Amino acid sequence: MKKVELIFVPAPAMGHLASTVEFAKRLICRDHRIRVIILSMKWFPSASLNAYIDSLTALQPDGIQLIELPQVALPSLDPKKSLESFLDVFVQCYIPPVRNAVRDIVSMRCSLGETRVAGLVLDLFCSPMIDIATGFGLPSYLYFPTNAATFGLMGYLPTRHTPESSEFECSDPEHLIPGFVNPVPTCVLPSAVFCKDGGYTTYVKVAERFKDAKGIIINTFEELEPYALNCFSNGQNPPVYPVGPVINLNGLSYSDSDDRVMKWLDDQPQSSVVFLCFGSMGSFKSPQVKETALGLEQSGFRFLWSLCVQPPQNDASKMLPEGFLERVQGRGMTCSWAPQLKVLAHKAIGGFISHCGWNSILESLWFGVPIVTWPLYAEQQFNAFKMVKELGLAVEMRLNYRKDSDEVVMADEIEKAVGMVIDGGSEVRKKVEDMGEMARKSVMEGGTSFNSIGKLIEDIIGNN
Ligand code: UDP
């Protein structure tokens, strides 16, 4: 039987790239006819992203070929403009090299004859590249490393958009967003939709192309977002394939401190430690670092704190209150990059104060660890709202905190939050544990996501 090849174009951000690669591995593992080529676009230098790409190049997972595209000349990043507007320019600049790479691959496969290119799998932010696939007579699938709620929100944007009704204002009334049971307060919407410097227009532009995809692949599972997924199966959207949780169970780790952290956890009692970790870009300025330290100290509970500071070149330990580390010695520990997967899997962890990045949410559900919400930027407020208000699967500390505001979450609030998840929170904990079990079942043979991947493969192979 002929091999079938898919060309993946992930967005060059850690959460997107790692999730995409993991999904590619699942496809290959499931059906040995499938091969994947990943076209890697070059973003700004990032130590963790580079290390990840290097590890992929070194490991060369079976059935996956990574092609690094040439660096294109990009306009410089204007600090006054949003990151999303830059992402739009970035994707446009990469259209010619992606098209060239697809042309080369298609013509080489045609001449060899034993493999057929079956389509492109594009990150949701690369939806303008659907035209490349169309140019070669190929279908495009969009991969959402985030959830069905985000698909609902983004799909809602072009339907709401008029010249009079464009960027959102915090004072706007709540929104009825497809896939949500409750009206959604404007203040929890992703930062980009408020942005008058291109963020909003990028989102609308990207979302306008969703209807042109042959399928929407989402890193969620039916048991977690049944209402939203049901809403999208009304025939007005391309077929939606929930394939998650797609998690790299080997974890992502680049730090020498892993052993130190894991040994310390081994010595702590069951469910006694609160873990604080804020994703690949979550960092705090000095006043917030001090308040957090105070809150943890006052709480008297055990903690493991992945502490990243702003500006990054500053010494994190110097930002802590004087004598803090000595006073909490034995019951508290700080580290920089944490081996989050391994930490969440450890029996000593009783709760997780999280920025609510989607990967972190899925990982904590998988291991049945309840989250306390402390969103910082991007779509994290939206995720926090979904988890607390829609699903009742997280404990609310903040829903609409934003990192770029000068607001400081005070020590008392942090102390209370730690108590809620370690001492209280038993009802949420039970729900989270049950959801974790459903998550694991969904990817096992006969599970909902397992079946959904099967349908996707049928569709991909059927295209040939
Ligand atoms: N992560 C980690 N250690 C850290 C911070 C993050 O291992 O100290 C991992 C985490 O397990 C998750 C990913 O990095 O897989 C973060 O993804 P998420 O979507 O939660 O947040 P983002 O980085 O996109 O804001």
Side-chain angles (χ1 to χ4, degrees):
M1 165 122 343
K2 248 190 185 176
K3 297 276 184 206
V4 166
E5 199 152 51
L6 288 168
I7 302 173
F8 278 49
V9 187
M14 193 62 186
H16 289 242
L17 178 63
S19 176
T20 308
V21 169
E22 211 45 46
F23 171 62
K25 284 191 204 157
R26 300 238 170 136
L27 274 182
I28 292 163
C29 192
R30 183 68 182 274
D31 193 315
H32 296 302
R33 288 171 297 178
I34 298 177
R35 299 234 174 287
V36 168
I37 296 185
I38 295 180
L39 302 183
S40 164
M41 302 186 281
K42 284 203 169 60
W43 189 247
F44 299 101
S46 140
S48 56
L49 195 61
N50 289 349
Y52 180 74
I53 293 173
D54 287 350
S55 73
L56 266 186
T57 317
L59 281 173
Q60 296 198 359
D62 256 2
I64 298 186
Q65 184 191 351
L66 182 79
I67 297 181
E68 294 204 49
L69 295 175
Q71 183 89 54
V72 297
L74 291 166
S76 56
L77 188 57
D78 180 349
K80 283 193 242 73
K81 290 209 154 197
S82 67
L83 197 60
E84 290 81 7
S85 67
F86 184 78
L87 184 64
D88 177 35
V89 177
F90 177 86
V91 169
Q92 293 303 326
C93 289
Y94 261 102
I95 285 180
V98 169
R99 185 181 290 116
N100 291 343
V102 173
R103 178 181 304 117
D104 290 350
I105 296 163
V106 169
S107 63
M108 196 193 299
R109 299 306 177 244
C110 275
S111 64
L112 292 175
E114 72 253 325
T115 308
R116 180 126 42 135
V117 179
L120 264 60
V121 179
L122 305 168
D123 185 89
L124 74 145
F125 284 110
C126 299
S127 65
M129 292 181 175
I130 287 179
D131 294 334
I132 300 178
T134 312
F136 292 101
L138 295 170
S140 295
Y141 297 86
L142 293 180
Y143 181 68
F144 277 63
T146 176
N147 46 34
T150 305
F151 176 61
L153 167 69
M154 292 193 72
Y156 166 70
L157 297 180
T159 65
R160 168 191 171 274
H161 179 78
T162 62
E164 296 75 44
S165 162
S166 51
E167 289 88 356
F168 291 67
E169 299 290 342
C170 279
S171 54
D172 287 349
E174 299 173 320
H175 299 271
L176 295 176
I177 297 180
F180 275 79
V181 180
N182 301 291
V184 181
T186 307
C187 63
V188 302
L189 295 180
S191 322
V193 304
F194 301 99
C195 171
K196 294 187 170 39
D197 286 320
Y200 169 82
T201 40
T202 300
Y203 266 43
V204 174
K205 184 173 166 187
V206 158
E208 271 169 347
R209 300 305 309 273
F210 290 174
K211 60 179 182 340
D212 302 322
K214 182 129 200 300
I216 306 287
I217 306 164
I218 307 184
N219 187 8
T220 188
F221 54 106
E222 251 178 67
E223 292 80 352
L224 180 61
E225 298 193 87
Y227 183 81
L229 290 166
N230 191 32
C231 215
F232 305 138
S233 61
N234 56 6
Q236 287 170 11
N237 296 290
V240 170
Y241 300 95
V243 298
V246 176
I247 296 175
N248 175 5
L249 286 170
N250 296 323
L252 305 162
S253 195
Y254 309 107
S255 158
D256 299 336
S257 60
D258 288 13
D259 282 351
R260 182 177 70 102
V261 166
M262 297 317 291
K263 275 199 192 102
W264 181 78
L265 281 178
D266 286 345
D267 292 335
Q268 309 308 316
Q270 184 150 0
S271 305
S272 68
V273 178
V274 65
F275 174 47
L276 295 89
C277 191
F278 302 91
S280 52
M281 294 196 289
S283 55
F284 295 99
K285 293 192 197 131
S286 172
Q288 187 61 70
V289 171
K290 290 212 163 56
E291 280 301 316
T292 308
L294 267 177
L296 292 172
E297 190 175 348
Q298 276 168 213
S299 79
F301 289 107
R302 291 164 206 272
F303 64 87
L304 170 63
W305 182 10
S306 163
L307 172 59
C308 299
V309 296
Q310 247 178 309
Q313 60 276 17
N314 278 15
D315 180 350
S317 62
K318 296 226 167 80
M319 286 197 183
L320 292 165
E322 225 183 300
F324 168 79
L325 287 174
E326 292 74 43
R327 288 195 298 280
V328 298
Q329 201 178 14
R331 75 167 172 92
M333 179 171 207
T334 62
C335 61
S336 48
W337 182 271
Q340 181 167 303
L341 244 294
K342 286 190 234 158
V343 168
L344 289 172
H346 200 286
K347 63 172 182 26
I349 297 297
F352 180 21
I353 300 191
S354 167
H355 72 312
C356 300
W358 189 240
N359 292 302
S360 294
I361 288 177
L362 289 178
E363 290 163 10
S364 71
L365 286 175
W366 185 270
F367 294 111
V369 177
I371 278 186
V372 176
T373 57
W374 189 347
L376 301 180
Y377 58 92
E379 77 296 350
Q380 294 153 13
Q381 294 78 11
F382 189 63
N383 290 345
F385 175 81
K386 169 105 191 173
M387 288 296 285
V388 172
K389 301 290 184 194
E390 290 275 299
L391 305 177
L393 283 170
V395 177
E396 175 177 349
M397 183 173 91
R398 286 296 175 98
L399 293 184
N400 62 356
Y401 176 90
R402 285 186 198 264
K403 185 180 163 187
D404 49 14
S405 73
D406 275 331
E407 191 187 359
V408 174
V409 181
M410 301 309 282
D412 290 353
E413 204 176 334
I414 292 163
E415 176 189 355
K416 198 168 136 217
V418 176
M420 276 192 301
V421 74
I422 297 289
D423 246 2
S426 56
E427 198 185 315
V428 173
R429 183 182 308 278
K430 173 82 182 71
K431 278 183 85 171
V432 169
E433 281 168 2
D434 290 348
M435 191 52 75
E437 194 154 341
M438 286 188 248
R440 288 189 293 277
K441 277 195 184 140
S442 74
V443 294
M444 279 157 53
E445 191 163 351
T448 50
S449 290
F450 181 93
N451 291 342
S452 183
I453 295 187
K455 281 198 204 119
L456 173 66
I457 292 176
E458 249 170 55
D459 190 67
I460 292 169
I461 308 253
N463 284 328
N464 283 255

